[in-house]
Amino acid sequence: MGHYSEGSLETAACLWESVLALRSRPITDPDAIGLALAIGKAFDALGTAALRLTVVGWTDAVEASWREVENDYPLCFDWDFVPAWIIDHIDWSDPFHPAVMQRGGG
């Protein structure tokens, strides 16, 4: 395992905290409920420890996305940006392999 800065460790913690929140406290709309169910399936398929390591692996990607918007983003990193990033960037369709969606170049 590489050496990570304190900031990256906090990002990893924010990612994990957001996944837990999105799983257990879905907003009452169909998309949020569907996401909570998909996250729950990943917990069931992989187990907590393996899923946590998967989520920690998204740290570099979320930090790169944050660097692109941090000077213009009006809300906070941990409670707003990170959960929104998970919603917009993670493909939960395969419960054994939740992963960052690959975006086409533009």
Side-chain angles (χ1 to χ4, degrees), residues 8-32:
S8 290
L9 293 174
E10 184 176 14
T11 297
C14 291
L15 279 162
W16 183 240
E17 188 173 50
S18 293
V19 166
L20 294 175
L22 289 167
R23 174 189 69 166
S24 64
R25 294 193 304 270
I27 301 163
T28 55
D29 72 57
D31 291 337

PDB file of all heavy atoms in Angstrom, residues 8-32:
ATOM      1  N   SER A   8      -5.822  12.714   1.703  1.00  0.00           N
ATOM      2  CA  SER A   8      -6.332  11.554   0.971  1.00  0.00           C
ATOM      3  C   SER A   8      -7.002  10.554   1.901  1.00  0.00           C
ATOM      4  O   SER A   8      -7.991   9.915   1.532  1.00  0.00           O
ATOM      5  CB  SER A   8      -5.208  10.873   0.191  1.00  0.00           C
ATOM      6  OG  SER A   8      -4.795  11.696  -0.878  1.00  0.00           O
ATOM      7  N   LEU A   9      -6.458  10.402   3.090  1.00  0.00           N
ATOM      8  CA  LEU A   9      -7.098   9.513   4.063  1.00  0.00           C
ATOM      9  C   LEU A   9      -8.479  10.055   4.440  1.00  0.00           C
ATOM     10  O   LEU A   9      -9.443   9.294   4.561  1.00  0.00           O
ATOM     11  CB  LEU A   9      -6.223   9.364   5.310  1.00  0.00           C
ATOM     12  CG  LEU A   9      -4.901   8.645   5.092  1.00  0.00           C
ATOM     13  CD1 LEU A   9      -4.065   8.693   6.365  1.00  0.00           C
ATOM     14  CD2 LEU A   9      -5.115   7.207   4.647  1.00  0.00           C
ATOM     15  N   GLU A  10      -8.580  11.368   4.575  1.00  0.00           N
ATOM     16  CA  GLU A  10      -9.884  11.953   4.873  1.00  0.00           C
ATOM     17  C   GLU A  10     -10.845  11.768   3.694  1.00  0.00           C
ATOM     18  O   GLU A  10     -12.026  11.475   3.894  1.00  0.00           O
ATOM     19  CB  GLU A  10      -9.755  13.439   5.210  1.00  0.00           C
ATOM     20  CG  GLU A  10     -11.084  14.036   5.614  1.00  0.00           C
ATOM     21  CD  GLU A  10     -11.001  15.480   6.056  1.00  0.00           C
ATOM     22  OE1 GLU A  10      -9.964  16.135   5.824  1.00  0.00           O
ATOM     23  OE2 GLU A  10     -11.996  15.946   6.629  1.00  0.00           O
ATOM     24  N   THR A  11     -10.341  11.902   2.470  1.00  0.00           N
ATOM     25  CA  THR A  11     -11.184  11.666   1.292  1.00  0.00           C
ATOM     26  C   THR A  11     -11.709  10.238   1.295  1.00  0.00           C
ATOM     27  O   THR A  11     -12.895  10.002   1.049  1.00  0.00           O
ATOM     28  CB  THR A  11     -10.391  11.937  -0.007  1.00  0.00           C
ATOM     29  OG1 THR A  11     -10.014  13.317  -0.034  1.00  0.00           O
ATOM     30  CG2 THR A  11     -11.220  11.604  -1.238  1.00  0.00           C
ATOM     31  N   ALA A  12     -10.839   9.277   1.585  1.00  0.00           N
ATOM     32  CA  ALA A  12     -11.257   7.873   1.638  1.00  0.00           C
ATOM     33  C   ALA A  12     -12.337   7.680   2.703  1.00  0.00           C
ATOM     34  O   ALA A  12     -13.331   6.972   2.476  1.00  0.00           O
ATOM     35  CB  ALA A  12     -10.056   6.973   1.916  1.00  0.00           C
ATOM     36  N   ALA A  13     -12.163   8.327   3.855  1.00  0.00           N
ATOM     37  CA  ALA A  13     -13.170   8.238   4.918  1.00  0.00           C
ATOM     38  C   ALA A  13     -14.486   8.863   4.469  1.00  0.00           C
ATOM     39  O   ALA A  13     -15.564   8.314   4.742  1.00  0.00           O
ATOM     40  CB  ALA A  13     -12.653   8.906   6.189  1.00  0.00           C
ATOM     41  N   CYS A  14     -14.417   9.989   3.772  1.00  0.00           N
ATOM     42  CA  CYS A  14     -15.630  10.641   3.263  1.00  0.00           C
ATOM     43  C   CYS A  14     -16.346   9.746   2.254  1.00  0.00           C
ATOM     44  O   CYS A  14     -17.583   9.661   2.256  1.00  0.00           O
ATOM     45  CB  CYS A  14     -15.300  11.983   2.621  1.00  0.00           C
ATOM     46  SG  CYS A  14     -14.769  13.262   3.777  1.00  0.00           S
ATOM     47  N   LEU A  15     -15.579   9.083   1.388  1.00  0.00           N
ATOM     48  CA  LEU A  15     -16.174   8.164   0.424  1.00  0.00           C
ATOM     49  C   LEU A  15     -16.931   7.048   1.144  1.00  0.00           C
ATOM     50  O   LEU A  15     -18.084   6.748   0.817  1.00  0.00           O
ATOM     51  CB  LEU A  15     -15.095   7.565  -0.482  1.00  0.00           C
ATOM     52  CG  LEU A  15     -14.633   8.426  -1.644  1.00  0.00           C
ATOM     53  CD1 LEU A  15     -13.302   7.935  -2.184  1.00  0.00           C
ATOM     54  CD2 LEU A  15     -15.685   8.441  -2.747  1.00  0.00           C
ATOM     55  N   TRP A  16     -16.282   6.418   2.100  1.00  0.00           N
ATOM     56  CA  TRP A  16     -16.898   5.309   2.817  1.00  0.00           C
ATOM     57  C   TRP A  16     -18.131   5.786   3.583  1.00  0.00           C
ATOM     58  O   TRP A  16     -19.190   5.152   3.549  1.00  0.00           O
ATOM     59  CB  TRP A  16     -15.887   4.654   3.752  1.00  0.00           C
ATOM     60  CG  TRP A  16     -16.442   3.458   4.461  1.00  0.00           C
ATOM     61  CD1 TRP A  16     -16.555   3.306   5.806  1.00  0.00           C
ATOM     62  CD2 TRP A  16     -16.957   2.262   3.874  1.00  0.00           C
ATOM     63  NE1 TRP A  16     -17.109   2.079   6.083  1.00  0.00           N
ATOM     64  CE2 TRP A  16     -17.372   1.421   4.916  1.00  0.00           C
ATOM     65  CE3 TRP A  16     -17.119   1.831   2.564  1.00  0.00           C
ATOM     66  CZ2 TRP A  16     -17.925   0.171   4.700  1.00  0.00           C
ATOM     67  CZ3 TRP A  16     -17.675   0.577   2.334  1.00  0.00           C
ATOM     68  CH2 TRP A  16     -18.077  -0.236   3.392  1.00  0.00           C
ATOM     69  N   GLU A  17     -18.019   6.921   4.246  1.00  0.00           N
ATOM     70  CA  GLU A  17     -19.140   7.481   4.997  1.00  0.00           C
ATOM     71  C   GLU A  17     -20.321   7.754   4.054  1.00  0.00           C
ATOM     72  O   GLU A  17     -21.473   7.479   4.403  1.00  0.00           O
ATOM     73  CB  GLU A  17     -18.671   8.761   5.667  1.00  0.00           C
ATOM     74  CG  GLU A  17     -19.625   9.382   6.623  1.00  0.00           C
ATOM     75  CD  GLU A  17     -18.970  10.546   7.348  1.00  0.00           C
ATOM     76  OE1 GLU A  17     -18.368  11.429   6.698  1.00  0.00           O
ATOM     77  OE2 GLU A  17     -19.045  10.563   8.582  1.00  0.00           O
ATOM     78  N   SER A  18     -20.031   8.260   2.877  1.00  0.00           N
ATOM     79  CA  SER A  18     -21.093   8.560   1.914  1.00  0.00           C
ATOM     80  C   SER A  18     -21.763   7.291   1.409  1.00  0.00           C
ATOM     81  O   SER A  18     -22.987   7.251   1.248  1.00  0.00           O
ATOM     82  CB  SER A  18     -20.534   9.356   0.737  1.00  0.00           C
ATOM     83  OG  SER A  18     -20.138  10.638   1.170  1.00  0.00           O
ATOM     84  N   VAL A  19     -20.978   6.251   1.150  1.00  0.00           N
ATOM     85  CA  VAL A  19     -21.563   4.978   0.719  1.00  0.00           C
ATOM     86  C   VAL A  19     -22.500   4.442   1.800  1.00  0.00           C
ATOM     87  O   VAL A  19     -23.617   4.001   1.508  1.00  0.00           O
ATOM     88  CB  VAL A  19     -20.460   3.950   0.362  1.00  0.00           C
ATOM     89  CG1 VAL A  19     -21.032   2.542   0.235  1.00  0.00           C
ATOM     90  CG2 VAL A  19     -19.770   4.347  -0.938  1.00  0.00           C
ATOM     91  N   LEU A  20     -22.068   4.495   3.049  1.00  0.00           N
ATOM     92  CA  LEU A  20     -22.921   4.024   4.145  1.00  0.00           C
ATOM     93  C   LEU A  20     -24.210   4.838   4.226  1.00  0.00           C
ATOM     94  O   LEU A  20     -25.296   4.283   4.409  1.00  0.00           O
ATOM     95  CB  LEU A  20     -22.168   4.096   5.476  1.00  0.00           C
ATOM     96  CG  LEU A  20     -20.972   3.154   5.616  1.00  0.00           C
ATOM     97  CD1 LEU A  20     -20.256   3.424   6.938  1.00  0.00           C
ATOM     98  CD2 LEU A  20     -21.388   1.703   5.510  1.00  0.00           C
ATOM     99  N   ALA A  21     -24.088   6.160   4.081  1.00  0.00           N
ATOM    100  CA  ALA A  21     -25.269   7.021   4.152  1.00  0.00           C
ATOM    101  C   ALA A  21     -26.211   6.771   2.981  1.00  0.00           C
ATOM    102  O   ALA A  21     -27.433   6.699   3.162  1.00  0.00           O
ATOM    103  CB  ALA A  21     -24.850   8.489   4.197  1.00  0.00           C
ATOM    104  N   LEU A  22     -25.661   6.623   1.779  1.00  0.00           N
ATOM    105  CA  LEU A  22     -26.501   6.379   0.601  1.00  0.00           C
ATOM    106  C   LEU A  22     -27.211   5.021   0.691  1.00  0.00           C
ATOM    107  O   LEU A  22     -28.311   4.863   0.181  1.00  0.00           O
ATOM    108  CB  LEU A  22     -25.659   6.449  -0.676  1.00  0.00           C
ATOM    109  CG  LEU A  22     -25.178   7.844  -1.064  1.00  0.00           C
ATOM    110  CD1 LEU A  22     -24.100   7.754  -2.139  1.00  0.00           C
ATOM    111  CD2 LEU A  22     -26.340   8.716  -1.527  1.00  0.00           C
ATOM    112  N   ARG A  23     -26.574   4.075   1.357  1.00  0.00           N
ATOM    113  CA  ARG A  23     -27.190   2.752   1.524  1.00  0.00           C
ATOM    114  C   ARG A  23     -28.298   2.781   2.560  1.00  0.00           C
ATOM    115  O   ARG A  23     -29.351   2.187   2.376  1.00  0.00           O
ATOM    116  CB  ARG A  23     -26.140   1.730   1.937  1.00  0.00           C
ATOM    117  CG  ARG A  23     -26.742   0.365   2.260  1.00  0.00           C
ATOM    118  CD  ARG A  23     -25.757  -0.577   2.880  1.00  0.00           C
ATOM    119  NE  ARG A  23     -25.399  -0.127   4.216  1.00  0.00           N
ATOM    120  CZ  ARG A  23     -24.775  -0.859   5.108  1.00  0.00           C
ATOM    121  NH1 ARG A  23     -24.389  -2.082   4.801  1.00  0.00           N
ATOM    122  NH2 ARG A  23     -24.484  -0.381   6.297  1.00  0.00           N
ATOM    123  N   SER A  24     -28.092   3.467   3.665  1.00  0.00           N
ATOM    124  CA  SER A  24     -29.002   3.316   4.792  1.00  0.00           C
ATOM    125  C   SER A  24     -30.048   4.411   4.923  1.00  0.00           C
ATOM    126  O   SER A  24     -31.044   4.212   5.610  1.00  0.00           O
ATOM    127  CB  SER A  24     -28.207   3.226   6.094  1.00  0.00           C
ATOM    128  OG  SER A  24     -27.504   4.424   6.320  1.00  0.00           O
ATOM    129  N   ARG A  25     -29.828   5.550   4.296  1.00  0.00           N
ATOM    130  CA  ARG A  25     -30.785   6.641   4.445  1.00  0.00           C
ATOM    131  C   ARG A  25     -31.191   7.200   3.086  1.00  0.00           C
ATOM    132  O   ARG A  25     -30.951   8.355   2.790  1.00  0.00           O
ATOM    133  CB  ARG A  25     -30.192   7.756   5.307  1.00  0.00           C
ATOM    134  CG  ARG A  25     -29.964   7.337   6.740  1.00  0.00           C
ATOM    135  CD  ARG A  25     -29.685   8.523   7.629  1.00  0.00           C
ATOM    136  NE  ARG A  25     -28.569   9.339   7.201  1.00  0.00           N
ATOM    137  CZ  ARG A  25     -27.306   9.167   7.582  1.00  0.00           C
ATOM    138  NH1 ARG A  25     -26.986   8.180   8.373  1.00  0.00           N
ATOM    139  NH2 ARG A  25     -26.367   9.969   7.164  1.00  0.00           N
ATOM    140  N   PRO A  26     -31.819   6.369   2.263  1.00  0.00           N
ATOM    141  CA  PRO A  26     -32.192   6.887   0.938  1.00  0.00           C
ATOM    142  C   PRO A  26     -33.299   7.917   1.040  1.00  0.00           C
ATOM    143  O   PRO A  26     -34.194   7.801   1.866  1.00  0.00           O
ATOM    144  CB  PRO A  26     -32.676   5.645   0.189  1.00  0.00           C
ATOM    145  CG  PRO A  26     -33.154   4.732   1.266  1.00  0.00           C
ATOM    146  CD  PRO A  26     -32.242   4.995   2.457  1.00  0.00           C
ATOM    147  N   ILE A  27     -33.186   8.911   0.213  1.00  0.00           N
ATOM    148  CA  ILE A  27     -34.253   9.895   0.075  1.00  0.00           C
ATOM    149  C   ILE A  27     -35.415   9.163  -0.593  1.00  0.00           C
ATOM    150  O   ILE A  27     -35.210   8.246  -1.379  1.00  0.00           O
ATOM    151  CB  ILE A  27     -33.765  11.072  -0.799  1.00  0.00           C
ATOM    152  CG1 ILE A  27     -32.537  11.710  -0.148  1.00  0.00           C
ATOM    153  CG2 ILE A  27     -34.852  12.103  -0.999  1.00  0.00           C
ATOM    154  CD1 ILE A  27     -31.738  12.574  -1.071  1.00  0.00           C
ATOM    155  N   THR A  28     -36.626   9.551  -0.297  1.00  0.00           N
ATOM    156  CA  THR A  28     -37.776   8.813  -0.815  1.00  0.00           C
ATOM    157  C   THR A  28     -38.099   9.190  -2.253  1.00  0.00           C
ATOM    158  O   THR A  28     -39.158   9.723  -2.559  1.00  0.00           O
ATOM    159  CB  THR A  28     -39.014   9.031   0.072  1.00  0.00           C
ATOM    160  OG1 THR A  28     -39.231  10.435   0.174  1.00  0.00           O
ATOM    161  CG2 THR A  28     -38.839   8.419   1.428  1.00  0.00           C
ATOM    162  N   ASP A  29     -37.152   8.903  -3.147  1.00  0.00           N
ATOM    163  CA  ASP A  29     -37.452   8.979  -4.575  1.00  0.00           C
ATOM    164  C   ASP A  29     -36.914   7.698  -5.197  1.00  0.00           C
ATOM    165  O   ASP A  29     -36.007   7.080  -4.661  1.00  0.00           O
ATOM    166  CB  ASP A  29     -36.901  10.253  -5.228  1.00  0.00           C
ATOM    167  CG  ASP A  29     -35.400  10.251  -5.384  1.00  0.00           C
ATOM    168  OD1 ASP A  29     -34.852   9.341  -6.024  1.00  0.00           O
ATOM    169  OD2 ASP A  29     -34.762  11.193  -4.882  1.00  0.00           O
ATOM    170  N   PRO A  30     -37.491   7.288  -6.322  1.00  0.00           N
ATOM    171  CA  PRO A  30     -37.139   5.992  -6.894  1.00  0.00           C
ATOM    172  C   PRO A  30     -35.647   5.817  -7.195  1.00  0.00           C
ATOM    173  O   PRO A  30     -35.108   4.737  -6.975  1.00  0.00           O
ATOM    174  CB  PRO A  30     -37.961   5.930  -8.183  1.00  0.00           C
ATOM    175  CG  PRO A  30     -39.107   6.841  -7.941  1.00  0.00           C
ATOM    176  CD  PRO A  30     -38.582   7.927  -7.056  1.00  0.00           C
ATOM    177  N   ASP A  31     -34.974   6.863  -7.670  1.00  0.00           N
ATOM    178  CA  ASP A  31     -33.550   6.741  -7.973  1.00  0.00           C
ATOM    179  C   ASP A  31     -32.733   6.483  -6.715  1.00  0.00           C
ATOM    180  O   ASP A  31     -31.833   5.647  -6.705  1.00  0.00           O
ATOM    181  CB  ASP A  31     -33.024   7.994  -8.678  1.00  0.00           C
ATOM    182  CG  ASP A  31     -33.580   8.137 -10.085  1.00  0.00           C
ATOM    183  OD1 ASP A  31     -33.997   7.121 -10.675  1.00  0.00           O
ATOM    184  OD2 ASP A  31     -33.586   9.273 -10.587  1.00  0.00           O
ATOM    185  N   ALA A  32     -33.030   7.213  -5.639  1.00  0.00           N
ATOM    186  CA  ALA A  32     -32.281   7.049  -4.399  1.00  0.00           C
ATOM    187  C   ALA A  32     -32.528   5.677  -3.784  1.00  0.00           C
ATOM    188  O   ALA A  32     -31.613   5.044  -3.268  1.00  0.00           O
ATOM    189  CB  ALA A  32     -32.635   8.157  -3.414  1.00  0.00           C
TER     190      ALA A  32
END
